[in-house]
Amino acid sequence: MSDATQHPDADAWAKACAEDLAGEKARRRGTEGPPPGTAAEELRKLVDAVADKVASLRTPLLGMGAQGAVQQFVSQAKAAVEPVIERNPQVFDHLAAAGNELLAAYRSAVEGQERRWTRGPDTPPPTGAKREDDGPDPTEHIDLD
């Protein structure tokens, strides 16, 4: 027998997995569309989409003067936002990261509170978990006599 049949390529499995993963990522990119851009690019897209939507609204209740005022307001808002995005694109990335951190902290707090609500006062914590201090008992018996 040859060496190739006796000693198969040790990395063959890793190569096959990498090829499958690359193919799956390419397939998903095709169905999901392009990945999101930077926070500044996404803000610019949002402003453009809102401006386009407002511009497309043709309400008969608004007169031509009111529609012109709305168009002027939209163009002024775009003109005010665009220089800020151009000068400070990294600020929006930092704001987006800070927002993600705040969301994670909020989720953590809510999940902890939900566990305490659903566990009840006499239910022991799950195996291996320590019981958190729930603070003072929210219901207190008051003797009026």
Side-chain angles (χ1 to χ4, degrees):
M1 272 193 190
S2 70
D3 284 341
T5 57
Q6 290 178 354
H7 302 290
D9 187 8
D11 292 332
W13 180 257
K15 288 178 185 177
C17 288
E19 289 172 1
D20 289 346
L21 181 61
E24 182 63 19
K25 285 182 179 179
R27 184 186 69 78
R28 287 188 181 186
R29 270 192 304 271
T31 59
E32 294 175 358
T38 65
E41 292 169 352
E42 294 299 313
L43 178 62
R44 186 175 291 120
K45 288 179 189 176
L46 175 66
V47 168
D48 289 340
V50 169
D52 291 343
K53 185 64 177 175
V54 169
S56 70
L57 294 177
R58 300 285 181 219
T59 307
L61 298 175
L62 293 176
M64 290 302 290
Q67 287 179 353
V70 169
Q71 292 288 2
Q72 184 180 2
F73 174 75
V74 168
S75 63
Q76 286 176 349
K78 282 179 71 171
V81 168
E82 195 62 35
V84 174
I85 293 172
E86 290 297 321
R87 284 191 306 255
N88 305 307
Q90 69 280 6
V91 169
F92 296 100
D93 293 332
H94 290 295
L95 289 173
N100 287 335
E101 290 296 320
L102 287 171
L103 180 61
Y106 174 76
R107 282 184 180 157
S108 177
V110 168
E111 287 172 358
Q113 187 64 36
E114 285 176 344
R115 279 193 303 273
R116 287 190 291 273
W117 287 338
T118 58
R119 186 174 63 223
D122 296 330
T123 308
T127 306
K130 66 180 187 110
R131 186 167 188 103
E132 298 145 1
D133 181 23
D134 293 339
D137 188 9
T139 59
E140 182 180 336
H141 178 75
I142 300 173
D143 189 11
L144 299 176
D145 289 331

